[in-house]
């Protein structure tokens, strides 16, 4: 299962790679990283059919996570990947918007990796 | 005979002009006596066959009167008038004296002159008196007029005085009103400044929290994952064929690393809970008002705070006093937010009484100290009043002025974030548009007053 993680913080890559070290090694998950909304769109255009799931931050400079979500739902309606949005603690506005524009799930920072792992595995198995 | 008339009228005149009968009865008695004396003298004169000796007694008598007139201040105003009688007396005296010492023949030659002089002196005296009387009457008339004018002026003055008084009262009243308004304005301004300060501090706090949260998340996540990595590393090393001593050494290092990571995680979590507390500032207004049994809410959080402290300190004990308004029913508030306020206030109250007991453990004066925390609720006039009071350590003025500022705490490091009251202040003043006031006496206790519009 290929997962695209979108976050403006480059350290997210190291964190995910270490957190999912075992899963990556045994081939359960494959992670790709984009460090802005624009980069994510570019990546999706070249790897449209590969990406099964997108994990995106909302507060990013330039294109925000919500805009990215809107753009994906509008421009790629045929093969909609599962999209999970991540944002700061207790941000109800963003939650409502994310759900309104078609997000599949919503996570709050700090990300509980145990919970995320469980969710990803459910999707992987399902 | 002429001396009798003179003294009689003189005495009469003095009595009348000076109004002695009313003003000085003692003097009046003397004057009345002098009158009788003059009558007696006249009678004696005729009884003793026009005795020259008795005639001569007039001079000391009149002299006595004049001596009296010139020696007493109260006669000053009539002195000049009385003086007009002197020429007559002097002329009479010269005549009588001449009669006494000169031979009859020579005296008779000048008798006419003396008689004439006597007549002139008498006329002069009468004219003088008449004139004086006239002047006196004019003076009295003028005085009367003046008196009338004075009366009118007095009346005008009284009227003016009354007006001035009225104005003064009015002005004083206005001044007091203005002073009151000014005081109110100053108080409101201070409150505004205070709430503005709190608001900007609250925003700043929330802003800082947001900024800190991301890097802090990385710290926590990386330290957590590092612990896992250490475990993995340990497992991997056990598979390799390194000498046991080396393995032990390496495992020791790994264990230290792992412990360090756990410490980082622990303190990171601590920082995280502070950041979460800070973020609640910005979340304070997100709740919804719903009908709530405030009494039950307060009771619940009072017990929660009490048992929270009891769990940490088994010796702790306090009396919980509740005075709930049973007629209150349900009131529209944000139950979760108000609950947080209750929890903060009660936690602080219990902390204050526990501290007081601890501080005075060995003080015999406090042997009978009974920690007590009290809550009173009252719904009255469209407002909900809540009072949380304790008989704990209390606070000095310097502390009271800072308690609603974020991060201000008097608790030891690690025990308080200094966000509880700051957040409570936001919840009460912003989300509920109420008031949160505090009164405290150092060493005596503290009372928090919540006023909510409902």
């Amino acid at each position: 299962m290929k997962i695209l993680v979108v976050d403006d913080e480059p350290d997210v890559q190291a964190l995910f790679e270490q957190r999912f070290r075992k899963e990556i090694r045994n081939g359960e998950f494959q992670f790709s990283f984009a460090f802005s909304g624009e980069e994510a769109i570019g990546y999706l255009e070249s790897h449209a059919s590969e990406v099964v799931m997108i994990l995106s931050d909302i507060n990013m400079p330039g294109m925000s996570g919500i805009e990215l979500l809107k753009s994906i739902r509008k421009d790629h309606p045929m093969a909609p990947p599962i999209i999970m949005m991540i944002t700061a603690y207790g941000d109800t506005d963003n939650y409502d918007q994310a759900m309104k524009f078609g997000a599949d799930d919503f996570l709050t920072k700090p990300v509980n990796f145990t919970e995320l792992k469980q969710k990803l595995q459910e999707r992987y198995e399902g | 005979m002429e001396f009798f008339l003179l003294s009689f009228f003189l005495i009469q005149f003095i009595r009348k002009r000076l109004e002695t009968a009313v003003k000085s009865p003692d003097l009046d008695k003397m004057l009345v006596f002098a009158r009788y004396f003059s009558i007696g003298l006249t009678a004696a004169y005729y009884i003793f066959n026009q005795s020259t000796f008795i005639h001569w007694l007039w001079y000391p008598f009149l002299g006595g009167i004049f001596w009296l007139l010139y020696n007493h201040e109260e006669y000053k105003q009539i002195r000049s008038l009385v003086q007009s009688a002197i020429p007559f007396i002097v002329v009479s005296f010269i005549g009588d004296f001449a009669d006494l010492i000169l031979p009859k023949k020579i005296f008779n030659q000048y008798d006419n002159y003396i008689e004439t002089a006597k007549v002139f002196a008498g006329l002069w005296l009468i004219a003088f008196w008449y004139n004086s009387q006239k002047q006196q009457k004019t003076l009295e008339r003028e005085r009367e007029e003046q008196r009338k004018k004075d009366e009118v002026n007095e009346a005008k003055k009284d009227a003016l005085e009354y007006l001035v008084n009225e104005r003064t009262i009015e002005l004083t009243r206005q001044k007091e009103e203005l002073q009151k308004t000014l005081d109110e304005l100053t108080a409101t301004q201070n409150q505004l400044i205070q709430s503005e300060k709190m608001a900007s501090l609250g925003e700043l706090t929330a802003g800082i929290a947001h900024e800190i949260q991301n890097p802090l998340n990385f710290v926590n996540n990386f330290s957590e994952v590092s612990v896992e990595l250490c475990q993995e590393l340990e497992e991997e090393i056990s598979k390799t064929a390194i000498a046991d001593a080396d393995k032990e050494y390496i495992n020791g290092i790994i264990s230290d690393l792992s412990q360090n990571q756990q410490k980082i995680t622990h303190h990171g979590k601590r920082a995280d809970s502070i950041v979460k507390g800070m973020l609640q500032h910005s979340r304070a207004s997100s709740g919804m008002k719903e009908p709530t049994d405030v009494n039950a809410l307060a009771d619940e959080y009072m017990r929660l705070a009490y048992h929270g402290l009891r769990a940490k300190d088994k010796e702790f004990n306090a009396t919980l006093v509740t005075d709930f308004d049973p007629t209150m029913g349900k009131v529209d508030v944000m139950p979760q937010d108000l609950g947080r306020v209750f929890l903060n206030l009660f936690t602080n109250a219990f902390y204050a009484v526990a501290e007081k007991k601890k501080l005075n453990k060995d003080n015999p004066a406090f042997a009978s100290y009974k920690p007590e925390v009290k809550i009173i609720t009252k719904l009255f006039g469209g407002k909900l009043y809540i009072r949380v009071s304790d008989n704990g350590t209390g606070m000095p003025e310097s502390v009271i002025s800072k308690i609603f500022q974020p991060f201000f705490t008097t608790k030891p490091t690690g025990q308080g974030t200094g966000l509880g009251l700051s957040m409570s202040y936001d919840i009460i003043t912003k989300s509920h548009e109420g008031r949160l006031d505090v009164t405290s006496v150092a060493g005596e206790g503290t009372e928090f007053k919540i006023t909510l519009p409902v």
Side-chain angles (χ1 to χ4, degrees):
Chain A
M1 180 161 82
K2 188 151 192 175
I3 301 163
L4 175 65
V5 179
V6 190
D7 200 308
D8 58 317
E9 295 266 10
D11 278 349
V12 164
Q13 180 166 5
L15 187 64
F16 270 79
E17 279 168 359
Q18 289 183 29
R19 279 285 187 179
F20 293 98
R21 174 183 295 276
K22 280 182 193 161
E23 288 79 5
I24 293 169
R25 204 155 55 165
N26 63 30
E28 266 180 69
F29 303 138
Q30 257 183 296
F31 284 99
S32 301
F33 296 89
F35 301 109
S36 72
E38 292 86 347
E39 206 182 307
I41 297 277
Y43 184 86
L44 279 176
E45 265 158 21
S46 50
H47 305 80
S49 54
E50 297 168 31
V51 176
V52 180
M53 185 185 280
I54 297 171
L55 278 177
S56 176
D57 187 20
I58 290 182
N59 294 317
M60 290 184 291
M63 184 186 246
S64 80
I66 297 288
E67 284 168 55
L68 175 67
L69 174 66
K70 273 198 265 185
S71 160
I72 293 168
R73 289 293 181 234
K74 196 170 106 241
D75 301 333
H76 306 272
M78 293 311 290
I82 296 157
I83 303 179
M84 287 191 188
M85 305 304 288
I86 308 171
T87 194
Y89 167 79
D91 196 340
T92 44
D93 279 358
N94 274 339
Y95 176 83
D96 294 345
Q97 273 201 306
M99 287 311 177
K100 186 177 144 201
F101 290 114
D104 295 278
D105 211 338
F106 194 87
L107 297 167
T108 52
K109 283 183 175 178
V111 175
N112 183 338
F113 277 93
T114 323
E115 188 192 334
L116 176 63
K117 211 178 269 187
Q118 213 178 340
K119 281 187 176 177
L120 292 183
Q121 258 152 2
E122 276 168 22
R123 301 264 177 196
Y124 177 71
E125 282 153 20
Chain B
M1 188 62 199
E2 64 267 29
F3 284 134
F4 167 68
L5 289 172
L6 178 70
S7 61
F8 190 83
F9 282 116
L10 188 65
I11 288 162
Q12 204 57 30
F13 171 75
I14 292 169
R15 286 185 66 203
K16 196 181 156 202
R17 183 63 63 87
L18 295 181
E19 293 167 13
T20 53
V22 183
K23 287 185 181 167
S24 48
D26 285 350
L27 206 67
D28 195 55
K29 264 183 212 159
M30 267 169 71
L31 289 167
V32 169
F33 175 73
R35 196 172 64 183
Y36 287 134
F37 187 81
S38 71
I39 293 168
L41 215 58
T42 313
Y45 177 69
Y46 288 108
I47 288 164
F48 292 102
N49 213 358
Q50 302 195 347
S51 155
T52 315
F53 172 71
I54 291 177
H55 180 71
W56 273 96
L57 283 180
W58 280 109
Y59 292 109
F61 174 59
L62 287 169
I65 289 175
F66 276 88
W67 180 83
L68 216 78
L69 292 177
Y70 279 85
N71 275 292
H72 286 82
E73 275 301 305
E74 52 263 52
Y75 297 120
K76 209 172 177 182
Q77 66 175 103
I78 54 159
R79 219 172 266 167
S80 68
L81 199 64
V82 171
Q83 270 168 3
S84 61
I86 293 175
F88 181 78
I89 295 166
V90 170
V91 169
S92 299
F93 180 76
I94 293 169
D96 286 342
F97 191 67
D99 192 9
L100 194 71
I101 57 163
L102 290 177
K104 202 77 179 169
K105 223 168 117 190
I106 298 167
F107 173 74
N108 281 345
Q109 268 183 343
Y110 297 99
D111 193 26
N112 277 340
Y113 295 112
I114 290 164
E115 284 304 317
T116 312
K118 252 176 149 176
V119 169
F120 275 113
L123 281 175
W124 186 67
L125 170 63
I126 290 161
F128 200 93
W129 279 23
Y130 175 72
N131 196 26
S132 152
Q133 207 66 21
K134 225 169 81 183
Q135 272 179 1
Q136 185 65 29
K137 270 188 187 143
T138 324
L139 216 71
E140 252 163 39
R141 216 169 32 237
E142 274 172 14
R143 237 179 248 154
E144 183 65 21
E145 275 168 26
Q146 189 61 40
R147 207 176 53 78
K148 273 182 190 158
K149 268 190 207 159
D150 283 354
E151 259 172 31
V152 173
N153 281 344
E154 196 66 29
K156 276 186 190 162
K157 206 183 115 195
D158 281 352
L160 275 174
E161 200 80 29
Y162 178 74
L163 268 178
V164 167
N165 255 340
E166 203 138 273
R167 289 273 160 82
T168 312
I169 291 166
E170 175 72 8
L171 281 173
T172 315
R173 205 176 52 78
Q174 282 180 352
K175 192 207 137 214
E176 270 161 15
E177 255 171 44
L178 281 174
Q179 188 63 46
K180 219 180 102 203
T181 316
L182 184 69
D183 288 348
E184 273 168 21
L185 273 175
T186 317
T188 314
Q189 192 189 29
N190 284 342
Q191 247 177 39
L192 267 177
I193 291 171
Q194 188 67 10
S195 58
E196 198 55 37
K197 215 158 76 179
M198 292 304 159
S200 54
L201 269 170
E203 276 163 33
L204 186 69
T205 307
I208 292 169
H210 265 290
E211 289 308 307
I212 291 176
Q213 181 142 65
N214 272 335
L216 190 59
N217 286 344
F218 279 114
V219 170
N220 287 337
N221 280 322
F222 276 115
S223 65
E224 267 174 32
V225 84
S226 295
V227 176
E228 286 172 22
L229 290 179
C230 284
Q231 281 168 357
E232 255 182 79
L233 187 59
E234 231 171 328
E235 285 164 21
E236 291 303 314
I237 282 170
S238 65
K239 293 179 195 162
T240 57
I242 308 174
D244 278 355
D246 288 341
K247 266 189 195 170
E248 217 168 281
Y249 182 67
I250 293 170
N251 277 339
I253 295 174
I254 292 171
S255 148
D256 279 354
L257 265 177
S258 177
Q259 264 177 27
N260 291 354
Q261 295 305 332
Q262 275 163 11
K263 286 220 185 318
I264 293 172
T265 311
H266 170 75
H267 291 286
K269 287 269 155 65
R270 215 177 108 193
D272 193 56
S273 72
I274 295 170
V275 167
K276 282 222 175 67
M278 287 163 77
L279 279 169
Q280 283 181 339
H281 265 290
S282 58
R283 257 169 46 94
S285 58
S286 65
M288 293 289 284
K289 282 191 181 177
E290 50 189 270
T292 308
D293 183 347
V294 174
N295 290 342
L297 191 73
D299 200 50
E300 181 192 332
Y301 278 99
M302 190 182 203
R303 271 156 228 292
L304 197 64
Y306 179 64
H307 293 298
L309 199 63
R310 284 270 290 181
K312 277 186 242 164
D313 178 5
K314 287 273 176 285
E315 278 172 37
F316 174 69
N317 211 322
T319 316
L320 314 186
V321 182
T322 54
D323 179 2
F324 292 132
D325 182 350
T327 64
M328 200 156 69
K330 291 197 170 182
V331 178
D332 266 338
V333 292
M334 301 172 192
Q336 279 175 341
D337 289 351
L338 196 62
R340 280 215 293 259
V341 174
F342 280 137
L343 189 64
N344 277 316
L345 295 185
F346 286 128
T347 305
N348 286 344
F350 286 125
Y351 183 84
V353 291
E355 277 297 295
K356 186 164 170 182
K357 191 157 193 183
K358 220 181 285 173
L359 287 172
N360 297 296
K361 202 164 45 184
D362 303 322
N363 188 342
F366 284 88
S368 62
Y369 172 64
K370 286 209 165 34
E372 186 181 292
V373 174
K374 190 174 181 182
I375 171 138
I376 303 171
T377 59
K378 187 85 200 157
L379 188 66
F380 174 74
K383 280 189 173 154
L384 173 58
Y385 298 91
I386 302 167
R387 288 182 180 209
V388 176
S389 55
D390 65 70
N391 61 352
T393 47
M395 297 175 279
E397 198 58 46
S398 56
V399 171
I400 294 174
S401 62
K402 289 187 196 140
I403 51 166
F404 296 127
Q405 288 177 12
F407 300 113
F408 178 79
T409 180
T410 57
K411 291 179 185 171
T413 315
Q415 287 196 36
T417 57
L419 289 167
L421 281 177
S422 144
M423 199 174 66
S424 301
Y425 187 86
D426 271 9
I427 290 170
I428 297 300
T429 60
K430 279 199 211 148
S431 314
H432 289 88
E433 288 166 342
R435 282 178 62 107
L436 180 59
D437 297 302
V438 61
T439 47
S440 184
V441 180
E444 297 285 320
T446 304
E447 181 177 66
F448 281 92
K449 281 179 268 188
I450 301 173
T451 312
L452 297 179
V454 285

